[in-house]
Structure formats: C-alpha cells, structure tokens
Amino acid sequence: MRRILSNKKIAVYYIVTGPYKRLFPGFLESLQYFFPDCKKVVKLLSDGLEEYKGYEKGNVKVDLCPRINNYPWPVITMYKTYTMTENWDEDCDYACYMNGNAEVREHNLDVFDLDKITVSYHSFNSKKEKYDPWPYININPHSRAYLENKTYEYIQGGFFFGPNEMVKKMCEDITEMLLYDTARSMFAQWHDESYINKWCVEHEDIVDKRYVMTVYEDSIDKDWFIYLRDKRDYNIKK
C-alpha cells in the first residue's frame, strides 16, 4: 500500500498568460480536490490576475509571482522549467506543475508513489482507445532531447508531481539541456515535453508513469482525475 499524503505543503506552479487567463478561476476552485488534507500554494506566473494577490480559501493560497510577458508560442512553454526554478518555493514539501487548462476532480489519496516523480501518459488516450504519438515525433539526433522512437513510453508535459527537491533538480536539469541546445540555435520538436521525456528515461528509477490527465471527460475516475478542458469552450482561439 502506498503512503497517503496528509498535512504537507504543496507548491503548485501555474503559468498562464493572454486569453488563457480565463481558465484560472476554474482551475483554482478545483484545487480543493487535490490532496484535500494538504496546504496548496499556487505559484501564479502570469501577465495579469493581480486581483488574486493574497487570495486564500480553505487550504489553497495564491502567491502572485513577478509578472511575466505574454510571449508568442512556444516561448513560454519552452522555458517553463526555467521560469519555475526562478520562482521556486523552498518551504514546501512537494512540488507540482499543472497545465493551464487543467481541472482537478476527486481522486484516490494513495494515487501517487510519494518517493518518486509522477508524470502522465498522453491525455489523448482514452479508456476506449490508446493514442499513438510516434507518427508526430521526429527529434533532431543532435539535440540533448533526442531519444529513439518506440524505445520508451511517451509522456505529456502538462503534469508532474513529486518531492520538492527532486522536482527542482529535474527542472534544473531540463533547463540546462534546453539552454545548451538553444545556444546552438537548436529547438526540440515538442519543446519542454521533449526534454521531460529524455529526463524521465534517464531517471526511470525515480519516475512513476501513469494515467493522470485526459481530454475525455467520460474517462475521468478516481485515479485518472485531471481533466484538460477544451480552450474553445472559453472562446480561446489561438
């Protein structure tokens, strides 16, 4: 049986700019379901949302970090691990990143291995059909993110969770790989996600891969509990 997390403090890193800020209220309200016995500090990285400064409700608190710019795609997501480490909260026991369109539902309290970093398989998987990402992956062999196709289980970069120092080290390592490539005018095909996959393969002994996110609401259950909302429902067109 896995240990159940309680009475700990979790830093939740949330990066959102431009029209995607419309997704924040729903995300914030849903955090009550994420380890409900734990304190959550939302490290809010945005080009606005100043009205949430000092927000606190139940065991969820918002820490409004220094303002970031609404750079065009894919700058913000590509450098997200860099942005996170620049605003790291050393006072928390665990760290988590969730995609901007994430909405948390009720979940089993022992869903994670608390001694590892939990990551999620692709959200396009459903209980009826498994998504095949390989036709869309062609990483430059000279990139630090390079992995041979079909030699590993592909994960999506929209969620990771684990012990605070372990997640920080992962973010630092990914940033180092990214900066090495970009200094040579090289950009991995799927930006931060390519590097996250590389790191998880190289550190498989401390990584727990599982289904956590889905874009299909009818696939939600107590283990597969993060719903990625459709941006079109919020009149977000880009």
Side-chain angles (χ1 to χ4, degrees):
M1 179 180 291
R2 299 186 179 207
R3 290 187 294 118
I4 295 176
L5 186 61
S6 62
N7 300 318
K8 298 292 185 178
K9 191 176 180 182
I10 304 171
V12 180
Y13 294 85
Y14 185 86
I15 304 173
V16 64
T17 62
Y20 289 87
K21 294 193 292 290
R22 298 170 197 160
L23 296 163
F24 181 62
F27 167 78
L28 184 62
E29 188 64 30
S30 76
L31 268 186
Q32 63 180 304
Y33 299 114
F34 189 59
F35 290 110
D37 295 332
C38 296
K39 293 181 180 179
K40 275 85 63 175
V41 179
V42 181
K43 308 294 290 187
L44 180 55
L45 297 143
S46 178
D47 61 342
L49 299 173
E50 286 85 0
E51 64 270 27
Y52 287 95
K53 183 177 181 179
Y55 173 98
E56 191 165 0
K57 182 178 179 182
N59 58 12
V60 178
K61 179 181 178 181
V62 171
D63 180 11
L64 186 63
C65 297
R67 185 183 178 95
I68 63 174
N69 293 325
N70 181 28
Y71 290 114
W73 173 267
V75 174
I76 293 173
T77 188
M78 185 164 63
Y79 288 98
K80 77 184 182 191
T81 56
Y82 173 81
T83 304
M84 289 170 61
T85 54
E86 285 291 292
N87 294 274
W88 201 259
D89 194 325
E90 302 286 357
D91 294 329
C92 291
D93 303 290
Y94 288 84
C96 178
Y97 170 82
M98 293 195 202
N99 219 45
N101 60 337
E103 185 178 88
V104 184
R105 304 292 176 85
E106 290 186 54
H107 63 88
N108 289 326
L109 295 181
D110 62 348
V111 68
F112 298 137
D113 184 334
L114 299 178
D115 298 316
K116 295 184 176 184
I117 294 177
T118 300
V119 294
S120 181
Y121 296 122
H122 212 290
S123 64
F124 293 167
N125 288 317
S126 73
K127 291 181 177 177
K128 299 176 182 177
E129 185 175 358
K130 190 172 182 179
Y131 176 72
D132 180 11
W134 302 116
Y136 311 101
I137 299 172
N138 183 26
I139 305 296
N140 187 327
H142 300 291
S143 169
R144 292 285 296 275
Y146 177 72
L147 292 166
E148 184 180 347
N149 278 9
K150 299 184 180 181
T151 62
Y152 62 102
E153 297 174 295
Y154 193 86
I155 60 162
Q156 197 169 4
F159 176 89
F160 45 85
F161 168 86
N164 200 42
E165 287 304 311
M166 193 178 290
V167 177
K168 182 182 180 183
K169 181 64 167 57
M170 181 186 77
C171 290
E172 290 173 339
D173 290 348
I174 290 169
T175 299
E176 189 276 330
M177 288 191 286
L178 169 68
L179 295 180
Y180 180 91
D181 278 358
T182 55
R184 291 156 178 78
S185 300
M186 192 178 302
F187 302 90
Q189 182 183 16
W190 295 113
H191 319 117
D192 62 292
E193 188 167 283
S194 297
Y195 295 99
I196 291 170
N197 271 278
K198 180 62 174 285
W199 193 92
C200 288
V201 167
E202 293 183 338
H203 298 82
E204 61 180 355
D205 57 321
I206 57 170
V207 172
D208 183 23
K209 295 183 178 183
R210 58 190 303 110
Y211 289 107
V212 174
M213 302 183 297
T214 179
V215 298
Y216 304 106
E217 196 161 12
D218 60 358
S219 291
I220 292 288
D221 60 27
K222 292 296 182 70
D223 294 316
W224 201 350
F225 63 93
I226 296 179
Y227 175 52
L228 296 186
R229 295 165 288 169
D230 190 332
K231 65 183 181 180
R232 293 171 297 184
D233 294 340
Y234 296 81
N235 197 29
I236 300 172
K237 299 178 181 179
K238 63 176 182 176

